[in-house]
Structure formats: structure tokens, C-alpha cells
Amino acid sequence: SRAVLRLRCDVADAVLWINEKMIGEIRDVSGGVGLAPGKYRLQLKHDRFHTRYVEVTLVAGERRALRVSLAERLE
């Protein structure tokens, strides 16, 4: 059975990547992303913020919520 990962981020138009595959903007996946059990490398990218990396391991049937913050670039 699949796991569901829900991400919360104050930067709603940050783009979520999972294992090098673009998933979409955070606001477009607010209901969560269904994933097979296993290890994943998440990236949150935005032009005005530093990219954030998070590694998670999900088990079958798990429903996990993560809050991720992004640091603004100083340019």
C-alpha cells in the first residue's frame, strides 16, 4: 500500500522535486503525494530562495506531514 507525503512550506510557489523528478508547486500538491514505500530525496526549489534538501523514508500506509522552510537568498 502506498504512503502519502504532505509538505507545508511558506513559499507556495516553490517547486517540489522527488528523486530528481519535478512534481509541481507546493500549492498544487497540498493534498499530498502518493508514493511507494522507500527512501526519497526531496528538493524544494525557488529562484528567490536557497534550495532545500530533505531525505525521508516512508513505510506502507504511512501518512506523513512535513513542514519545510526556505532561506531567502541575499543578493
Side-chain angles (χ1 to χ4, degrees):
S1 130
R2 295 176 73 77
V4 176
L5 178 65
R6 293 180 64 192
L7 277 140
R8 296 285 178 250
C9 180
D10 293 336
V11 184
D13 59 339
V15 178
L16 171 63
W17 293 69
I18 299 178
N19 292 351
E20 307 297 326
K21 178 182 175 194
M22 187 178 79
I23 304 301
E25 292 184 357
I26 291 294
R27 64 175 152 226
D28 296 333
V29 295
S30 62
V33 179
L35 298 165
K39 290 184 178 186
Y40 294 94
R41 185 170 194 226
L42 314 177
Q43 295 176 53
L44 283 171
K45 297 182 179 185
H46 192 284
D47 291 342
R48 292 188 351 254
F49 296 84
H50 291 283
T51 299
R52 179 77 185 266
Y53 299 91
V54 179
E55 292 188 5
V56 297
T57 301
L58 302 171
V59 297
E62 181 177 7
R63 298 180 69 78
R64 186 179 304 184
L66 290 176
R67 175 166 287 284
V68 180
S69 59
L70 299 180
E72 196 161 0
R73 291 179 185 264
L74 302 175
E75 295 183 25

